Structure formats: C-alpha cells, structure tokens
Amino acid sequence: MPMFDLTGRVALITGAASGIGAATARIFAEAGADVALAFYPPDGHDIRPVVAAVEAAGRRAITAPVDVSSTADVEGLVRAAENEFGAVHIVVANAGIARTVSLADLDDEAWNSVMEVDLHGAWRCFRAAIPSMQREKYGRLLATSSVAGTVSGWPEHSHYAAAKAGLVGLVKSLAVEFGGDGITANAVAPGVIRTPQSLDPVNSLGPAGVDAVAKKVPAGRVGEPDDIGYVYRFLASQEASYVNGQLLVVDGGRNLAGLD
Ligand code: NAD
C-alpha cells in the first residue's frame, strides 16, 4: 500500500476549477479518491480540464456550480456526493477571494462579502459534511487559510486577514468537538502561490509582485499549486490521524525572521 493513499475516500473541494483547488483535485484522484468539485461560474474558470485529469487518474468526479455563501448550494453538493459516492470523508474548504480595500473604504458590504466566502464558506461546508464523516468514523476538515492574518498582516486586506485567522479558530474548535469521531480539522497557510488570485494586480500582488516575492524565498521561487495539494494529500490521509487542530504554514520559509 503506498503512503498517503486515499483509495475509497470521497473528497469535496471548493474553488476546484483553478489554482490550489484544481491541483488538489488532481492529486487526490492520483492518490485514489473520488471527488465532488465545486466551481463558481461567475469567475469563468473551466472545470472540465480538472474532471479530465481526475478521470485520467482512473477516478470519478461530480461537479456543481456552488456559491459557498449559499447554504443551499453547499448542502446540495454534499447530498449529491453522498448519492453518487455514498459518503463524504474529506472537505477542502478552499474557495476564497482577496479584495484590496483600505480601512477607510471598508464598508459593511465590503467586509461581509469577503467574510462570507473566506470564513463562513468553510464553516458551511464543514457543517454540511460532518454528519457523513461521523457515520463513516473518518473525517478530514481542511481549510485554506493564509500567512496573511496568521503569520503576517496584509495592508489593505484586513478583512481577508481576519477571515483567514478566523479559520484557525474554526478548525481548532472542531478538532476538539469532533476528535472522538475519527475526524480531524486542520488549516494550511500558504505563502505566495502562483495562481489567478496572486497574479491579479488589482486585488493581490500581480505578476511583478509575485516575482519580487520569489527573491525573498530561500528556494528562490514562489509556491506552485501542487506544493499545497501534496500537503492536503498528507493531511487527508490515514497517516495524518494524529495531526489535529493545527495550522501548517507552507511558504517555503519566506516568513522566517531575518530574511529581509
Ligand atoms: P484562485 O483564484 O485560483 O482560487 C479561488 C477559487 O475560489 C476560484 O476557483 C474561485 O472561482 C473560487 N471562488 C471565489 N468565490 C467563490 C464563491 N463565492 N463560491 C465558491 N467559490 C468561489 O486562487 P488560489 O490561490 O488557488 O486560491 C485558493 C485559496 O488559497 C483561496 O482561499 C486563497 O485565499 C488561498 N490563498 C492563496 C494564496 C496565493 O498566494 N495564491 C496564498 C494564501 C492563501
């Protein structure tokens, strides 16, 4: 049996049509999991290449348009996964948005819109899937946090940083509440990863900013989506059963003191 094998597991992944979510879907399928993939049509990412990669790995995928700020959408995908595959064992609550807004302009709507997706979206996914995990006596609640809010701040992204820090409190609490059911809950804090989000020059770093960060990482590069997908594969596996309630920073060492 290979290590970090996910054969027989079913994983629900949000934000699965691009970036970290798409890489995680492929890597999970290569590890043996069937997947329920949530994509968000307004962003225009094509989910079909992700499904093709899953099928090329010999696994099955179902897909659904999901807005993680909608409880009905989230619960609908969990139900569809249970109908198709029998259960949900793993949730990767990965959907997220970044918006550049200085505090003076951060009105209620701007604050809430990021909270709804980046923090409340994860809570909705976890809440919907936990009963299935309890029946299976196996669960992995995984959230894409960020170094922003947990290691560093991010000017003009205080709502994003607060949401990403909130995920840490969420997984720590669920880790204790459901640890007796074979369920673990952990968050991953990526540093800069080359994805549509980080390459957006308006709401994030943009291509020049991403390249500038690469010079500050000991390895001389920013992260790729696979760097996070492989961490999720480990955390989703049986072998990670004693890792619970943790925040795992995956930034290539960028945020170690003394680098600048
Ligand atoms: P990305 O933009 O490719 O992925 C974000 C995904 O979330 C997209 O597929 C998008 O369609 C989806 N999404 C947006 N709004 C949604 C909604 N309302 N409902 C459902 N899905 C929605 O960028 P990414 O970097 O792969 O982002 C994945 C996660 O990683 C995000 O939570 C992001 O905040 C986090 N993150 C990224 C970096 C980075 O440097 N790229 C660093 C730290 C954390």
Side-chain angles (χ1 to χ4, degrees), residues 104-157:
D105 296 325
L106 195 52
D107 58 19
D108 289 21
E109 195 283 328
W111 175 274
N112 288 333
S113 63
V114 167
M115 284 291 160
E116 270 302 320
V117 178
D118 292 17
L119 178 57
H120 304 173
W123 154 68
R124 281 190 193 92
C125 293
F126 293 164
R127 182 182 58 179
I130 282 172
S132 187
M133 296 177 179
Q134 287 177 305
R135 283 192 293 274
E136 295 288 307
K137 296 272 173 256
Y138 189 96
R140 296 288 183 264
L141 303 168
L142 301 167
T144 309
S145 176
S146 173
V147 292
T150 64
V151 177
S152 65
W154 193 7
E156 300 188 313
H157 293 80

Side-chain angles (χ1 to χ4, degrees), residues 11-15 20-21 24 28 90-95 125-126 133 140-144 232 236:
L12 185 154
I13 302 169
T14 63
I20 293 167
T24 302
F28 277 19
I90 303 158
V91 168
V92 183
N94 168 75
C125 293
F126 293 164
M133 296 177 179
R140 296 288 183 264
L141 303 168
L142 301 167
T144 309
Y232 276 136

Side-chain angles (χ1 to χ4, degrees), residues 5 23 31 38 50 66 159 166 193 215 223:
D5 185 54
V50 187
V66 170
H159 48 347
I193 309 297
K215 296 187 177 66

Side-chain angles (χ1 to χ4, degrees), residues 192-227:
V192 174
I193 309 297
R194 194 179 299 277
T195 70
Q197 183 184 98
S198 62
L199 292 169
D200 175 350
V202 175
N203 289 306
S204 187
L205 301 173
V210 167
D211 288 344
V213 168
K215 296 187 177 66
K216 299 185 173 181
V217 179
R221 68 172 180 89
V222 298
E224 297 297 331
D226 282 14
D227 291 315

Side-chain angles (χ1 to χ4, degrees), residues 3 33 39-40 70 78 85 96 108 131 139 146 199 201 211 214 219 247:
M3 288 185 79
F39 65 101
Y40 185 59
S70 158
V78 170
F85 301 126
D108 289 21
S146 173
L199 292 169
D211 288 344
L247 173 71

